[in-house]
Amino acid sequence: MFNFFHKRAAFKPLLPYTTEVHCHILPGIDDGAPDPEHALRLLRQMREWGVEKVIATPHVTEASFENTPQTVADAYARLSGEPGFSEIALQVCYSAEYRMDDNFLNVLRQNEIMPMPGNHILIENSFLQPFWNIKELIFDLQIKGLSPILAHPERYAYYHDDRKIYQELHEQGCEFQVNLLSLAGYYNRRSKEVAEWLAAKQMIDYLGSDLHNSTQALHLDKYLSGKEFTRHMKNLRLKNDTL
């Protein structure tokens, strides 16, 4: 099942960055890697793609994954304590992917944010509906000294037919992180189309794998070896390696 983790003789392009900013590899705390063994396999694959630093971003979501600094730290300790962890030669740290909901507002009030380097914070909408006051929330985060990055904006179907919201949020100073899986066509045609549109508009600030499991890794591995990947990466101005 995991044969793709072994290096191949064929040439494979490396990613246009060395810092992975969005992935779910901390074991057992969300819908990502279920255990340290699986997490190590995903990390080995990212290392083969040219990644040198990984920022793990487990979900912090009301009712389903109400992770805290303690649960995330415990999962990191479980992973980093594995005998094979140091052999991968990757720098791994952690933050979170924060769903904009009541739980997140409570986390903000209690000052329990786990920021990325440079006080960046990865936020996401629900896939069913946008956060009701996203522009004000982004402003509040900025006032607190946090720099918001909206995770996978191309995946929010309610934005697809009225794309001025992308320009408004981006002009407000909210940066965008697009999923490589979207460009690879893993989710659906519209997500890929919007990801390509954001690239054309120079509104992709960060790329991330959003890697959860081996199925996604297989899909990305195939994409990274193809001509479409090379075309997609042209003219991108990414900030991944500033984090």
Side-chain angles (χ1 to χ4, degrees):
M1 180 178 181
F2 291 104
N3 288 338
F4 74 96
F5 289 107
H6 297 294
K7 291 188 176 181
R8 300 173 303 185
F11 171 77
K12 178 169 57 180
L14 297 182
L15 292 168
Y17 55 81
T18 60
T19 300
E20 170 60 58
V21 302
H22 184 178
C23 62
H24 298 268
I25 51 87
L26 293 187
I29 59 172
D30 65 3
D31 57 347
D35 51 52
E37 181 184 20
H38 197 113
L40 289 174
R41 287 169 172 159
L42 296 177
L43 287 172
R44 290 188 188 103
Q45 176 61 89
M46 284 192 277
R47 187 71 184 91
E48 185 179 335
W49 291 337
V51 172
E52 298 175 2
K53 178 181 179 180
V54 172
I55 305 173
T57 52
H59 292 289
V60 176
T61 308
E62 188 173 31
S64 54
F65 304 113
E66 293 187 355
N67 281 306
T68 66
Q70 187 62 58
T71 63
V72 175
D74 288 347
Y76 175 79
R78 186 181 175 202
L79 174 60
S80 61
E82 286 292 302
F85 180 78
S86 60
E87 298 172 4
I88 300 175
L90 273 175
Q91 179 186 353
V92 181
C93 57
Y94 60 82
S95 177
E97 179 184 11
Y98 290 99
R99 173 72 56 84
M100 291 178 280
D101 55 25
D102 288 339
N103 179 64
F104 177 57
L105 297 179
N106 188 49
V107 169
L108 275 177
R109 283 191 293 268
Q110 296 183 18
N111 196 29
E112 292 184 345
I113 292 293
M114 297 173 285
M116 290 179 163
N119 266 2
H120 289 79
I121 179 173
L122 189 66
I123 55 176
E124 70 163 345
N125 271 317
S126 162
F127 289 110
L128 299 177
Q129 60 186 15
F131 185 72
W132 66 278
N133 207 4
I134 186 172
K135 292 181 181 178
E136 183 173 326
L137 178 58
I138 286 170
F139 178 76
D140 289 344
L141 291 173
Q142 292 168 332
I143 290 297
K144 291 177 179 293
L146 295 166
S147 299
I149 302 172
L150 184 61
H152 40 63
E154 76 282 0
R155 296 193 64 198
Y156 306 128
Y158 41 75
Y159 287 162
H160 289 175
D161 294 325
D162 188 10
R163 298 183 189 178
K164 69 178 185 296
I165 186 64
Y166 292 117
Q167 293 172 316
E168 291 170 354
L169 293 176
H170 205 254
E171 288 172 2
Q172 189 181 347
C174 181
E175 296 177 311
F176 291 165
Q177 175 266 307
V178 163
N179 283 2
L180 279 167
L181 284 164
S182 295
L183 289 168
Y186 178 79
Y187 305 112
N188 53 61
R189 179 184 59 81
R190 291 301 303 279
S191 292
K192 179 177 181 177
E193 175 189 308
V194 174
E196 291 174 332
W197 180 83
L198 288 168
K201 295 292 184 181
Q202 291 291 321
M203 285 195 287
I204 298 181
D205 301 290
Y206 305 89
L207 283 176
S209 68
D210 198 2
L211 196 60
H212 286 67
N213 55 56
S214 58
T215 299
Q216 292 176 342
L218 282 166
H219 196 96
L220 276 180
D221 201 54
K222 182 178 179 181
Y223 167 66
L224 296 179
S225 301
K227 293 180 180 179
E228 194 169 42
F229 166 70
T230 303
R231 176 174 64 83
H232 283 154
M233 296 305 106
K234 287 182 179 179
N235 304 318
L236 291 182
R237 302 171 184 173
L238 301 176
K239 302 178 181 179
N240 287 55
D241 294 338
T242 66
L243 298 183

